[in-house]
């Protein structure tokens, strides 16, 4: 993939979350579309064993791909992922993209309206938000229970470790554990504010979970029960 140095070239971050046994197929699709700037991380889904049994799913271990590419290629890759992995079927995975070329700032309180200066008004372009939750390791189920109660369908968890926490502890006024988990939740922007509010109130800073969340709009979503671009 060769990126032309054009000021108006739209660049996207494409994120796809699939079962680990589908990772090779995703890699083949990316190579076929000449997408070469890709990172993959291992994570796991938040569905419990009862939910997995009900849906007929056998694993929650996930492969999470982060890919930088022109927006046009991102759309083609999402279409190929949708077709090859049948993302419209439950449990097959999810893919979404975010514009990363222009500044786009989205506050946790999700203010409506156009930015006062700079940035891009993504509210009118996207029906979904990516909610990222940083929490203390071992409290995934508690945080996900609150998110589901507020309207979340599910999420993907990655292991992480905090660094440079002294300033954060002073800012929040609470002790922050270094061992972390990062949860990614894709939700409709009509419920994302409620989800973050529930997390902050029930499992936020000051609780044992110590969850902190923020969100950003995504340009398109495949794998949430519909295969049509948003």
């Amino acid at each position: 993939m060769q990126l032309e140095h054009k000021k108006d070239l739209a660049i996207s971050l494409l994120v796809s979350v699939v079962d680990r046994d589908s990772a090779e197929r995703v890699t083949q699709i990316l190579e076929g579309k000449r997408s070469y700037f890709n990172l993959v991380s291992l994570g796991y889904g938040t569905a419990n064993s009862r939910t997995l049994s009900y849906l007929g799913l056998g694993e929650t271990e996930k492969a999470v791909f982060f890919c930088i590419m022109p927006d046009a290629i991102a759309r083609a890759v999402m279409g190929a992922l949708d077709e090859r992995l049948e993302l419209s079927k439950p449990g097959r995975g999810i893919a979404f993209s975010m514009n990363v070329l222009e500044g786009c700032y989205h506050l946790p309180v999700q203010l409506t309206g156009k930015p006062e200066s700079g940035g891009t008004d993504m509210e009118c372009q996207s029906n979904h938000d990516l909610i990222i939750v940083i929490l203390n390791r071992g409290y995934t189920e508690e945080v996900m229970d609150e998110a589901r109660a507020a309207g979340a369908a599910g999420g993907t968890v990655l292991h992480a470790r905090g660094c440079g926490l002294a300033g954060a502890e002073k800012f929040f006024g609470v002790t922050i554990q270094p061992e972390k988990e990062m949860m990614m939740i894709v939700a409709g922007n009509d419920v994302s504010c409620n989800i973050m509010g529930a997390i902050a109130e029930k499992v936020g800073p000051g609780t044992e979970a110590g969850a902190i969340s923020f969100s950003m709009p995504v340009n398109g979503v495949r794998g949430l029960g519909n295969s049509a671009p948003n």
Side-chain angles (χ1 to χ4, degrees), residues 23-212:
E24 182 60 31
R25 282 186 288 173
V26 174
T27 301
Q28 292 173 356
I29 291 171
L30 293 172
E31 291 177 347
K33 298 296 183 181
R34 302 187 66 183
S35 171
Y36 303 130
F37 192 85
N38 311 308
L39 300 174
V40 61
S41 178
L42 301 181
Y44 60 93
T46 57
N48 55 38
S49 58
R50 182 177 180 181
T51 301
L52 289 175
S53 177
Y54 176 77
L55 295 175
L57 304 178
E59 66 170 315
T60 61
E61 294 183 329
K62 304 294 182 182
V64 185
F65 288 81
F66 301 89
C67 314
I68 298 292
M69 61 188 68
D71 184 66
I73 295 180
R75 293 171 184 262
V77 170
M78 289 181 67
L81 290 171
D82 193 10
E83 180 180 355
R84 289 279 301 278
L85 302 182
E86 298 182 294
L87 298 183
S88 58
K89 295 182 179 180
R92 296 299 179 90
I94 185 173
F96 55 90
S97 66
M98 295 173 286
N99 185 276
V100 297
L101 183 59
E102 298 181 63
C104 182
Y105 306 98
H106 205 56
L107 300 177
V109 292
Q110 293 191 301
L111 300 176
T112 59
K114 296 184 178 180
E116 292 182 3
S117 62
T120 303
D121 181 16
M122 297 294 290
E123 290 279 348
C124 61
Q125 298 181 25
S126 174
N127 295 324
H128 294 84
D129 290 326
L130 169 64
I131 302 172
I132 294 180
V133 188
I134 309 298
L135 61 141
N136 293 330
R137 188 166 297 182
Y139 292 92
T140 300
E141 291 188 7
E142 290 86 343
V143 173
M144 198 62 226
D145 285 345
E146 298 300 335
R148 282 199 182 95
T156 301
V157 179
L158 303 176
H159 291 303
R161 181 174 178 83
C163 60
L165 297 177
E169 289 182 356
K170 182 181 296 186
F171 179 80
F172 288 105
V174 296
T175 300
I176 300 179
Q177 300 177 13
E179 297 298 323
K180 299 292 182 183
E181 287 173 327
M182 183 178 78
M183 181 183 299
M184 300 190 304
I185 301 171
V186 177
N189 53 26
D190 57 332
V191 297
S192 58
C193 192
N194 293 337
I195 293 171
M196 289 188 293
I199 290 173
E201 180 180 355
K202 301 296 181 60
V203 288
T207 69
E208 292 184 349
I212 299 172

